[in-house]
Amino acid sequence: MLAAVAAVAASVLLLTGCQVGLSDEGEPLTVAQSELLAQTRFQVASRGDVVLHISMLADDDVDHREYEVTLDPVAHAAWGVMLRGPSSLAVEETVAFSPTAFLRQVDGQWQSEAALDSALSVVFALAADRPENAQLLRQSDARHLGEVEVDGEQQQVFRLPSVDGGGEAVTRLWLDGDGRLRRMDAGDDERLVILLTDDAPLPRPAGLELGDADG
C-alpha cells in the first residue's frame, strides 16, 4: 500500500521544507486525482526495467551517496554504480542489491556486504502488481500539494497517506502529464530523492545472483 511506502521513507527521513509553488498542507484528493495516484505503482511495474538516479544526503555530507541503477521492479533487483562520499571526493563502485542483499564488485567478483540500507530499500516499494484502492486513498490523509514545472513539463505533486491517518507522512510522489512517476522524495531535495529517468536500462550482469525472483 502507498501508506507503507510513506512509512519506510518517514522512518529514516524528516521533512525540512517545501518547494516554491507547493502547498505545505495540500488539498484532499479529487476523484480524478485519487484514481491517478491509485495507478502509480502498478504503472511502474508495467514499464519494465527502469533507470533510477538516487541521491541521499547533501552533496558535501561525508555520508552522501548517489546511485545510478537499473531496477527490475518485478524481480526486485537493481544493479549499477554507487558514488560514495562528498561529491568532490566521491569513490565509484559497481553494486547490485535486492531487498535482502547488497553486493559490491571487487576485482570482477561480487562480494556480499551488510544488510541493505533501510532508505535504499524504498526503491522496491515503487512498483506493485495491482492498482491501489482509489476510494480508500480519497478517504485517507493523502494530499495534492500542487503543480510545478520540471525541465519544461508540468508535474503533479502528491503527499502519500500516513499509516494510521495521523498526518505525519512526508513522502511525496511527482507525476508527469501522462501519470508516470518521475520522482519520489522524503519532503525535500537532500535527504532522499529518487528520480525515474528515461535512460536506457542496462542488462543484468552475467552471473549476478541476488536471491530474487529471477535468481
Side-chain angles (χ1 to χ4, degrees):
M1 295 176 62
L2 284 172
V5 181
V8 173
S11 68
V12 292
L13 303 160
L14 297 174
L15 179 66
T16 61
C18 185
Q19 270 86 355
V20 174
L22 296 181
S23 167
D24 286 312
E25 299 300 326
E27 298 291 336
L29 303 183
T30 65
V31 172
Q33 289 167 350
S34 66
E35 292 175 348
L36 180 66
L37 193 57
Q39 293 289 331
T40 300
R41 294 203 300 146
F42 180 63
Q43 192 271 347
V44 172
S46 302
R47 288 165 64 176
D49 291 1
V50 60
V51 176
L52 307 179
H53 178 80
I54 307 165
S55 178
M56 297 180 179
L57 304 179
D59 290 349
D60 58 354
D61 194 299
V62 66
D63 292 321
H64 174 69
R65 281 167 292 158
E66 290 189 36
Y67 298 83
E68 196 81 28
V69 298
T70 294
L71 170 69
D72 181 337
V74 176
H76 284 180
W79 54 88
V81 297
M82 173 182 70
L83 295 174
R84 177 169 47 86
S87 294
S88 60
L89 301 172
V91 176
E92 181 175 317
E93 298 179 84
T94 299
V95 299
F97 51 93
S98 72
T100 59
F102 186 89
L103 284 69
R104 303 176 196 264
Q105 195 173 68
V106 180
D107 296 329
Q109 301 295 318
W110 291 105
Q111 295 186 3
S112 179
E113 298 289 332
L116 184 68
D117 186 295
S118 59
L120 194 57
S121 68
V122 173
V123 303
F124 298 112
L126 292 174
D129 60 2
R130 61 180 62 87
E132 311 286 339
N133 186 312
Q135 182 176 352
L136 291 181
L137 283 173
R138 286 197 302 277
Q139 296 170 351
S140 75
D141 59 350
R143 291 293 183 266
H144 180 249
L145 301 180
E147 184 173 326
V148 294
E149 183 175 317
V150 180
D151 295 332
E153 71 171 2
Q154 294 299 119
Q155 295 187 6
Q156 301 286 333
V157 184
F158 297 88
R159 187 180 67 223
L160 296 187
S162 53
V163 174
D164 59 4
E168 74 279 2
V170 299
T171 306
R172 303 182 302 188
L173 299 185
W174 303 53
L175 309 184
D176 66 16
D178 295 322
R180 296 192 307 162
L181 180 61
R182 308 301 296 189
R183 165 174 167 154
M184 192 201 83
D185 64 44
D188 62 25
D189 289 328
E190 291 189 349
R191 305 303 180 91
L192 172 66
V193 177
I194 301 173
L195 301 179
L196 290 81
T197 77
D198 292 322
D199 295 343
L202 295 177
R204 181 171 176 145
L208 175 61
E209 297 288 344
L210 283 166
D212 51 80
D214 284 349

